[in-house]
Amino acid sequence: MPISVGDKIPDVTIKTNGPDGPEDISTGELFAGKLVVLFGVPGAFTPGCSNTHMPGFVIKADKVLEKVDTLACMAVNDAFVMRAWQQDQNAEAILMLADGNAEFTRALGMEKDASGACMGVRSLRFALIAEDGVVTYVGIDTERGVVDKSSVDTVLAHLQG
């Protein structure tokens, strides 16, 4: 069952890229005492994620970051892939989170079986807003190719009101 409004973000150690390469990051520490937007994608470099979902957040990152402490993107990929995708997308303002073993994805209840496409376990397409580690908005897009409830415009609308 996916995480919902009022739920606490689970504390899981995943990876991000630091100055010397991949490093551990605790989701509990990442969300503690901050207003955070996290969007999850099925996979770095996949068409919907690269052509639609990520570009919206890249273009409007400044608007999001005027309202929140952290804007982060997560995928069930390794930290090297996430760094390469960040560079490819000009997404330097976005904290890239690599959940290579899908542990955080599962803890959020956002996993999907993409083995039919030879992709294994992946994340659903989603966006959430959390304040001090508690979810205040979650939007999940379940229709293939649709970026609506998890779009940057939807996130910004929830941050406004």
Side-chain angles (χ1 to χ4, degrees):
M1 178 179 225
I3 198 163
S4 58
V5 171
D7 290 346
K8 187 161 177 50
I9 296 288
D11 188 13
V12 177
T13 300
I14 55 177
K15 298 284 185 187
T16 192
N17 267 300
D20 298 319
E23 58 186 40
D24 288 348
I25 186 167
S26 159
T27 57
E29 290 176 20
L30 174 65
F31 285 86
K34 297 178 197 136
L35 184 58
V36 177
V37 167
L38 171 67
F39 66 102
V41 298
F45 293 104
T46 58
C49 303
S50 292
N51 298 332
T52 306
H53 204 181
M54 176 64 87
F57 280 97
V58 170
I59 291 166
K60 296 186 178 177
D62 290 346
K63 289 183 180 182
V64 175
L65 288 167
E66 286 174 2
K67 300 177 180 316
V68 303
D69 299 298
T70 304
L71 170 58
C73 174
M74 180 195 71
V76 181
N77 289 112
D78 65 66
F80 298 107
V81 168
M82 294 302 285
R83 178 66 181 140
W85 194 42
Q86 181 180 41
Q87 292 170 333
D88 179 74
Q89 294 284 311
N90 297 311
E92 297 300 325
I94 300 171
L95 176 65
M96 303 301 272
L97 301 175
D99 187 23
N101 293 327
E103 293 170 2
F104 187 46
T105 300
R106 284 187 181 102
L108 291 171
M110 295 291 182
E111 75 277 4
K112 74 174 191 172
D113 181 1
S115 59
C118 293
M119 295 173 64
V121 174
R122 293 293 175 132
S123 174
L124 295 170
R125 183 177 310 285
F126 74 92
L128 65 78
I129 302 168
E131 187 168 359
D132 194 20
V134 177
V135 176
T136 60
Y137 170 77
V138 62
I140 304 168
D141 290 312
T142 55
E143 190 177 333
R144 185 176 181 180
V146 173
V147 180
D148 178 31
K149 296 175 186 130
S150 65
S151 74
V152 69
D153 291 330
T154 300
V155 167
L156 282 167
H158 282 276
L159 290 169
Q160 303 288 356

